[in-house]
Amino acid sequence: MATPSPDTLFGLTLHGRYVLGQRVRSGPSGTVHTAHDLTVDHLVMVTVMHPESVADPGLVHAFDSRVQTLESVTHPGLARTLGHGRDGDHVYAVTEYERGESLASVLTDGDAALRYSPGTALTIVADVLAALDALHQAGIVHGGIEADHVLLDDEGRVTVTGLPLIADAAAGGEPDTSEDVHAVGRLLHTLITGVGTVPDEGPLRPSAAVDGVPSDVDMLVANATDPTPRYRPRDAAKYLTMVEQVTRSLPRVDGDGDPADTRPIPVVGAQTQDRTQARPRVGAASALTSAFRSGRAAGPASGRAPGRGSDGTPPWRRVPVLVSAAALAVVLLSVVGWAALAPDDTVEVPDVTGSAPAEAESVLRGLGVDLVVRRDEAYDDDVESGAVAATEPAAGTEVETGDQVTLVVSIGARSVEVPDVAGGTESEARTVLREAGFTDIEVVQEHSAEEAPGTVLSTKPAAGEQGDREEPVVVSVSEGVVAPSLIGTDQADAVALLDDAGLAAQIVEAPHDDVVVGEVFGQDPEPGSILPEDANVSITVSTGPEEPEVEESATEDDEEDRDTDRDENTDEERDRDRDDDDDDRDGGRGDAGASCSGEAWHPNTQYDTGDRVHYQGREYEARWWVEGAHHRPGDGGDWGPWADLGPC
C-alpha cells in the first residue's frame, strides 16, 4: 500500500488540538506520528489513515469499530487509546505516548547481536502475553507482534505497540489468537538466541543455536511455533500459564544472569542509578523547552549520557528521540505564543483529595490559569484506590500560569489482608491474590498426606494477616509428580520417561504435516503440571501428513445440488410474491405494470461494492462488501451498507 511522504502530514493540526510531529512508522492502518495535544499539553501518538483507505467506507467503519473497542481495553502493557475522530479528509486515532526502546534496537549493539538469559527472556515474554491476553479477551488479535513492537522503558516496563487499527475482521474473517502465540514463540526464540526468525519457520528450538537451554524452554518455543495452528496453545492466557510454569522450574542463580550464557546480555548487572526529580516553577514555554531538550521526551532527569554506562546500564533505559528540530520549532512557537497571551494571575491549589482524577483535573483547569496537570500513583492507607490522595504542590500553595500540579492518585493501602486460598488450585490462588493487589507470587511444593497434588495448603503471610504488596506471597502447594516434557521425543522414549516418573501413558494418534511419524507433538496435562502418582498423561503421536479427504459419490453430490436448487428457487419465488404484494400496496407507484429487474436480495448471499438488488419494491446498491444475513436493505439508513435507489 502506498504511504504519504514523510513531509505530507508533518506540522498538521487536527481539530485545532493535535499538532503532528515526526512520523514514527507506517503500516496497513496508516501512519503513526508523535503529536502534541494542545488541550492538555501532553505528548500523544496519532495514527492517521491512508487517503486511499479513507475513500473506502468499509475500511473507515472497521477503523472506527476497532478504535472504539480499544478505548475500553485497559492494561499496563498497552498504550491506552484516548479517542478518535475525522477532520476533513483525515481519519485518525489518538493513543498515549509510547515511551521506551524497542527490543529490536536493544538486541543490536553495533554489529554484535545480543541475547537474554532464558529467565530474563521468559519474564519479558510473560509481560507481552499479559498485554495480549487483555486484547484477546476483548476479541482483538494483534496479528503482527515483532521485536520492533515491544518497548522497554527506563523502569523495565514492557509495552506492546503496533496494533493494526484495520482488523482482519473487516474482511469477514474470524480472529485467530493462535497467530499471536506463534509470533510470541518466535520472539522468545530471538530473545534467547539473538537470531531472527521468519513467519513460516517452525517448530523452533533455541537449543539448536545456544548450548545449555533447558528442555522445558525448548518445549515452550517449539509448541508455540508449530506450523499447524491447532497444535499451538490456543491463546495468550493459555501460553502465559505455560510460561509461568516453566519459569518456576528454572534453577535459581545469584543475580539476573544465567551461567550458561557466553554472549553479551544487555540486562545482566544493570543497576538503576538514583534519580531525583526537580519540581521547579516554570512557565509553559520553558516547561516544553525542558521536555524537548536534547531531543528527549519529558521525564525525570537520569543524569546518564546516551549509550550503555560503565555500570552496565542497558540500552533500553535510554529515552527515544521524540521529534526533529523542525517539529520542536513548531511546538515551541505555538507554546511561546500562548505564554505571551496568558494572564499573569496567581491562584491557590484547591483541595481535591478524594475526588476522581478527571474531576480534579477539571477543577484545576477551571482556575483561570494554564496549569500543567500531570498524574502520579502512590499507596495511601486512607484514600480508596483510584481517587486523588494528594497534590504536589499541596493544597493552599500559590501557583501561576505554566506551573505544574501533579495529582497523586491512590492505588490503595500498601498493606492489605491476605485472602484465604487454601483448598483451591494454584491457578485459582493466583487469580484471587492478584485481585487483592499482590503481584509477586511464589509457589513452593510441600508433602501432604491428606490433600491431592496441586492443592493449595497455605500462604505466607497466612490468610487474614496483613501482607505488604511490595513483598512476595509464598503459596505452598501439595507436592506430587511433575509431568516431564515429552514434546519432540519418540513414542517409546516418552512412554519410558512417564514410567520412570510413576505416571501412565495414554497414546493418541493424529496426523501432522511437519512432525515425523512416531514423534510426540502434544501432551496433556502440560509439562510441569503437578500430578498424583499413577496419573494418566495423554501424549499425541504423529501419524504423518493428513490423508486427503475422499470425495463423495457423484450421485450423492447431484442429489444435494438438486435439493439446494429447489430451496433457492423456493426462496426466490417467496421474494417475488412479497415484491408483488408490496407493489399492490404501493398503489401502482412508479411505472404502471413495471417490475423490479435484476437480482432479489437473499440473506445467504455476499455482495460486493456496486452490486444492485431489489427488496420489497425498492432497488438498492451496496456501498461496500456486505453479507446478506447481517444487513437487510433499508437497515441503517444513510449510514448503512445499502444505498436506496428508489422504488422499482
Side-chain angles (χ1 to χ4, degrees):
M1 177 178 289
T3 58
S5 64
D7 295 329
T8 301
L9 301 178
F10 181 80
L12 175 70
T13 301
L14 296 173
H15 277 134
R17 176 172 180 174
Y18 304 106
V19 181
L20 300 188
Q22 187 177 15
R23 189 175 72 175
V24 177
R25 59 181 176 268
S26 181
S29 304
T31 55
V32 182
H33 302 256
T34 59
H36 180 214
D37 185 342
L38 304 180
T39 301
V40 296
D41 190 24
H42 281 179
L43 300 175
V44 294
M45 309 294 288
V46 175
T47 301
V48 183
M49 284 188 71
H50 297 304
E52 56 269 36
S53 298
V54 175
D56 186 334
L59 292 181
V60 174
H61 176 72
F63 182 94
D64 289 343
S65 297
R66 170 62 69 94
V67 175
Q68 288 175 16
T69 301
L70 286 172
E71 287 173 357
S72 65
V73 178
T74 302
H75 189 274
L78 298 170
R80 189 160 52 99
T81 302
L82 304 174
H84 64 289
R86 179 165 189 162
D87 187 353
D89 295 332
H90 301 294
V91 177
Y92 65 92
V94 184
T95 60
E96 288 180 321
Y97 179 68
E98 300 168 357
R99 300 181 183 275
E101 187 169 354
S102 72
L103 275 176
S105 177
V106 170
L107 291 171
T108 304
D109 186 10
D111 295 331
L114 306 179
R115 64 180 174 88
Y116 289 97
S117 67
T120 303
L122 290 175
T123 299
I124 295 173
V125 163
D127 287 345
V128 172
L129 289 169
L132 290 177
D133 181 33
L135 293 175
H136 290 179
Q137 291 185 41
I140 298 174
V141 174
H142 188 292
I145 287 290
E146 298 175 354
D148 282 333
H149 297 149
V150 178
L151 303 183
L152 296 171
D153 71 5
D154 189 58
E155 304 300 327
R157 288 183 295 249
V158 174
T159 302
V160 174
T161 66
L163 181 68
L165 297 181
I166 299 179
D168 291 339
E174 291 296 326
D176 184 359
T177 53
S178 73
E179 291 302 315
D180 281 348
V181 172
H182 186 274
V184 174
R186 291 172 46 223
L187 176 65
L188 180 56
H189 181 275
T190 299
L191 292 176
I192 296 172
T193 65
V195 179
T197 64
V198 296
D200 296 332
E201 277 189 287
L204 300 172
R205 291 182 172 83
S207 60
V210 176
D211 293 335
V213 175
S215 60
D216 285 349
V217 176
D218 241 17
M219 172 276 301
L220 271 179
V221 178
N223 276 7
T225 57
D226 194 299
T228 305
R230 67 176 178 269
Y231 300 134
R232 306 172 197 148
R234 62 178 177 270
D235 55 25
K238 185 72 171 177
Y239 196 37
L240 177 58
T241 299
M242 297 172 65
V243 167
E244 289 177 335
Q245 288 176 335
V246 172
T247 301
R248 292 197 306 271
S249 70
L250 294 180
R252 292 183 175 274
V253 296
D254 293 335
D256 297 328
D258 187 328
D261 285 339
T262 57
R263 293 163 66 189
I265 301 173
V267 296
V268 170
Q271 302 294 328
T272 303
Q273 297 184 2
D274 292 335
R275 297 188 303 274
T276 58
Q277 181 174 3
R279 301 183 182 275
R281 294 176 61 182
V282 293
S286 59
L288 278 191
T289 302
S290 174
F292 287 104
R293 183 171 296 141
S294 301
R296 298 175 182 274
S302 66
R304 293 190 295 267
R308 188 182 288 107
S310 59
D311 62 348
T313 301
W316 82 27
R317 297 188 184 278
R318 298 196 302 267
V319 183
V321 173
L322 171 65
V323 292
S324 66
L328 173 62
V330 171
V331 178
L332 287 182
L333 284 175
S334 60
V335 174
V336 169
W338 302 329
L341 297 175
D344 189 22
D345 293 338
T346 298
V347 298
E348 289 187 357
V349 176
D351 185 359
V352 292
T353 302
S355 60
E359 296 174 356
E361 284 194 17
S362 178
V363 171
L364 291 172
R365 299 192 189 285
L367 294 176
V369 294
D370 282 334
L371 297 176
V372 179
V373 183
R374 305 201 184 281
R375 295 188 191 182
D376 199 358
E377 294 180 340
Y379 292 110
D380 193 281
D381 294 336
D382 302 317
V383 178
E384 65 179 6
S385 180
V388 176
T391 57
E392 297 179 1
T397 305
E398 288 190 351
V399 290
E400 58 187 28
T401 298
D403 281 356
Q404 176 175 310
V405 177
T406 300
L407 298 174
V408 182
V409 181
S410 170
I411 55 175
R414 175 163 175 168
S415 294
V416 297
E417 184 176 310
V418 177
D420 186 0
V421 294
T425 65
E426 175 190 331
S427 177
E428 293 169 345
R430 285 183 174 275
T431 299
V432 173
L433 289 169
R434 284 171 177 159
E435 289 176 349
F438 298 101
T439 57
D440 190 354
I441 303 169
E442 296 181 1
V443 177
V444 298
Q445 291 194 51
E446 290 185 6
H447 175 71
S448 174
E450 295 81 17
E451 299 293 345
T455 303
V456 176
L457 303 176
S458 62
T459 58
K460 184 179 181 180
E465 293 182 355
Q466 291 294 307
D468 188 336
R469 291 165 60 188
E470 290 293 315
E471 299 295 329
V473 175
V474 180
V475 180
S476 296
V477 179
S478 177
E479 68 181 354
V481 180
V482 179
S485 176
L486 307 172
I487 307 298
T489 63
D490 61 39
Q491 178 177 330
D493 289 342
V495 172
L497 287 170
L498 289 173
D499 185 60
D500 291 342
L503 301 171
Q506 286 188 333
I507 311 299
V508 177
E509 294 184 338
H512 197 295
D513 295 336
D514 302 294
V515 178
V516 298
V517 175
E519 183 176 320
V520 176
F521 64 88
Q523 72 177 85
D524 184 28
E526 301 166 353
S529 300
I530 302 173
L531 307 173
E533 292 185 5
D534 300 324
N536 291 326
V537 175
S538 174
I539 57 175
T540 307
V541 180
S542 172
T543 58
E546 190 170 7
E547 296 292 333
E549 295 181 0
V550 179
E551 295 184 1
E552 297 180 1
S553 65
T555 301
E556 293 175 347
D557 290 342
D558 292 341
E559 184 64 27
E560 290 179 2
D561 290 340
R562 284 193 293 271
D563 290 341
T564 300
D565 290 340
R566 282 195 295 269
D567 291 339
E568 290 178 352
N569 290 336
T570 301
D571 289 336
E572 290 179 1
E573 289 172 3
R574 291 195 191 100
D575 286 336
R576 283 195 294 271
D577 292 339
R578 283 197 299 268
D579 291 341
D580 292 339
D581 291 340
D582 290 335
D583 288 340
D584 292 338
R585 286 194 298 269
D586 287 341
R589 286 194 301 268
D591 296 337
S595 62
C596 295
S597 61
E599 179 183 5
W601 174 81
H602 195 280
N604 296 329
T605 302
Q606 295 178 349
Y607 299 97
D608 291 325
T609 303
D611 285 352
R612 293 192 177 189
V613 299
H614 60 82
Y615 178 68
Q616 294 185 349
R618 303 187 71 83
E619 187 173 9
Y620 297 88
E621 180 177 278
R623 291 192 173 102
W624 56 79
W625 181 93
V626 60
E627 187 172 357
H630 294 159
H631 297 282
R632 186 185 303 269
D635 292 348
D638 293 339
W639 298 100
W642 293 103
D644 188 345
L645 303 182
C648 59

